[in-house]
Amino acid sequence: MAIYYNITTLNDFVILKQKDYPNAKGELSNLLSHIGTAAKIVNKKITKAGLVDILGRAGTVNVQGEDQQKLDIYADKVFTDALRTSGDCCGLATEENQNIIVFTDKFARKGKYVVCMDPLDGSSNLDYNVSVGSIFSIYRRITPRGENVGNEDFIQKGDMQVAAGYIVYGSSTMLVYSTGNGVYGFTLDPSIGEFCLSHSCIKTPEAGRIYSINEGNYVNFPMGIKKYIKYCQEKDESTGRPYTSRYVGSLVSDFHRNLLMGGVFMYPSNANAPKGKLRIVYECNPIAFIAEHAGGAASDGHERIMGLTPESLHQRSPFYTGSKNMIKKIEEFLATEGY
Ligand code: AHM
Ligand code: MG
């Protein structure tokens, strides 16, 4: 018999998965489905970027003093509105806002979850048609339902994440997420406007061969990382070295490639940025969640990223994530050669 329908959409999938949890009321599924819809809206804008007035700087800077792109602001607004109207999210923290956004309307204030997001990561690549992404992380609120949420709801340990994921706006657009029970990837089929299951139960290779780092910062790297880079470049048949170097400069794209192929992404501390560049709450933790649930690892060079308790919303950390063997080696180099 001919088959006329053999797709599993993101929305079908989250509802199917919900059946694994008999007590679930569908709040997380609803939230994920709102994130998926917002991602489609952002994707639409990105694909038209050269044709509509959305490229370039907005003329404003964000809390970290970085230039905001028009698309940074657009994506921030789309995700904010989508989460507010979901009714299941009571507050949001993003890279673009110094303070948390507290949703105070009738349904949202009772929402069970808070979300932390980088609405458009890698946006300095945007004007040049290079892949960018969105990153999200979902926590259960700590403050009682019905009260306004506070900072403590957002600066929880990464281990407390209920779900996390990212969207990569690349040669195709993909949404990858996990609720802690497998990592799943959905490719956007533009002809029907749906994210369709394309990567079931993603596992990252334990032994990777790609290293991704902005080597332009080499002189300022810790000695352990300088030596690790040289180690990656040495010839050694038993470990498959020299490894291959790939660096897009968009965390989501670099991580996604390495997740599928096996490799490591590194953003160390350096003399100009003693705590590195990437933010724990909405960049490192969600990526770490995906990495670990796919069988990989994520570290600040000493310890697991998700074991850290952030003290502030925009706190940075050195970040190393990817295949387990590579993270272990990096930690060894940092411990013996200098952090
Ligand atoms: P952004 O959130 O302002 O876009 O910055 C984060 C990005 C990451 O996507 C990427 O890994 C990193 O910054 C690249 O930084 P650099 O240009 O220093 O290599
Ligand atoms: Mg970012």
Side-chain angles (χ1 to χ4, degrees):
M1 197 174 69
I3 296 171
Y4 292 96
Y5 187 98
N6 67 347
I7 55 166
T8 305
T9 67
L10 174 67
N11 289 354
D12 295 340
F13 188 81
V14 290
I15 288 166
L16 266 176
K17 276 275 169 195
Q18 192 189 309
K19 298 197 167 123
D20 293 343
Y21 305 91
N23 295 329
K25 297 197 181 75
E27 291 140 304
L28 184 61
S29 306
N30 178 45
L31 205 52
L32 288 166
S33 119
H34 274 75
I35 290 174
T37 305
K40 287 191 254 182
I41 296 172
V42 172
N43 177 69
K44 204 79 203 147
K45 200 62 136 187
I46 290 174
T47 55
K48 285 196 292 193
L51 302 171
V52 293
D53 180 28
I54 195 75
L55 287 181
R57 293 176 183 176
T60 47
V61 290
N62 68 10
V63 54
Q64 8 257 332
E66 299 159 345
D67 281 324
Q68 286 180 305
Q69 309 288 317
K70 290 178 196 161
L71 260 163
D72 280 326
I73 296 173
Y74 177 80
D76 191 54
K77 287 196 190 321
V78 171
F79 281 109
T80 305
D81 286 351
L83 290 167
R84 180 186 286 114
T85 54
S86 75
D88 288 311
C89 174
C90 52
L92 172 67
T94 84
E95 179 178 324
E96 306 307 327
N97 296 282
Q98 174 148 23
N99 299 317
I100 59 167
I101 301 165
V102 181
F103 296 149
T104 52
D105 28 310
K106 193 172 153 204
F107 293 111
R109 66 182 299 134
K110 291 194 191 137
K112 187 169 168 185
Y113 297 105
V114 297
V115 177
C116 306
M117 281 204 77
D118 183 351
L120 203 63
D121 182 69
S123 52
S124 63
N125 276 326
L126 261 173
D127 288 3
Y128 316 106
N129 214 348
V130 176
S131 302
V132 291
S134 302
I135 311 174
F136 63 92
S137 167
I138 302 175
Y139 292 86
R140 266 185 211 95
R141 66 187 297 163
I142 296 175
T143 47
R145 278 174 110 158
E147 284 181 16
N148 284 351
V149 278
N151 270 3
E152 67 273 25
D153 293 281
F154 297 86
I155 54 173
Q156 301 186 46
K157 252 189 198 175
D159 276 333
M160 299 308 290
Q161 289 172 102
V162 171
Y166 58 81
I167 297 102
V168 54
Y169 310 97
S171 47
S172 62
T173 295
M174 267 190 81
L175 186 150
V176 174
Y177 89 96
S178 175
T179 54
N181 188 10
V183 175
Y184 296 90
F186 299 80
T187 302
L188 182 63
D189 180 341
S191 63
I192 57 170
E194 293 282 1
F195 281 108
C196 300
L197 183 64
S198 53
H199 295 62
S200 207
C201 244
I202 298 173
K203 287 283 169 211
T204 198
E206 272 203 20
R209 289 199 57 252
I210 299 174
Y211 69 101
S212 308
I213 190 166
N214 184 346
E215 252 178 289
N217 294 328
Y218 186 86
V219 286
N220 292 318
F221 285 155
M223 189 50 73
I225 295 303
K226 286 183 177 169
K227 294 253 168 107
Y228 178 72
I229 292 172
K230 289 298 157 212
Y231 165 88
C232 292
Q233 296 167 347
E234 279 162 17
K235 207 165 171 193
D236 175 61
E237 269 181 32
S238 67
T239 50
R241 285 176 291 145
Y243 295 155
T244 294
S245 167
R246 290 280 183 280
Y247 190 70
V248 173
S250 291
L251 168 63
V252 170
S253 313
D254 281 311
F255 174 77
H256 182 70
R257 180 200 52 241
N258 294 354
L259 176 76
L260 298 181
M261 293 188 68
V264 72
F265 173 89
M266 299 177 266
Y267 209 107
S269 59
N270 66 60
N272 301 324
K275 292 199 162 168
K277 176 178 185 188
L278 300 173
R279 278 62 50 127
I280 298 175
V281 171
Y282 43 80
E283 289 173 326
C284 306
N285 269 339
I287 295 291
F289 189 85
I290 297 295
E292 286 200 7
H293 285 287
S299 165
D300 71 350
H302 278 308
E303 52 185 312
R304 286 176 62 244
I305 280 288
M306 292 201 291
L308 304 174
T309 306
E311 283 162 15
S312 61
L313 217 48
H314 301 285
Q315 187 178 326
R316 297 171 197 264
S317 170
F319 190 43
Y320 306 94
T321 185
S323 295
K324 267 188 178 160
N325 73 319
M326 299 177 96
I327 298 296
K328 192 163 166 269
K329 202 68 177 172
I330 289 167
E331 287 181 339
E332 282 167 20
F333 269 94
L334 284 165
T336 52
E337 303 288 345
Y339 185 71

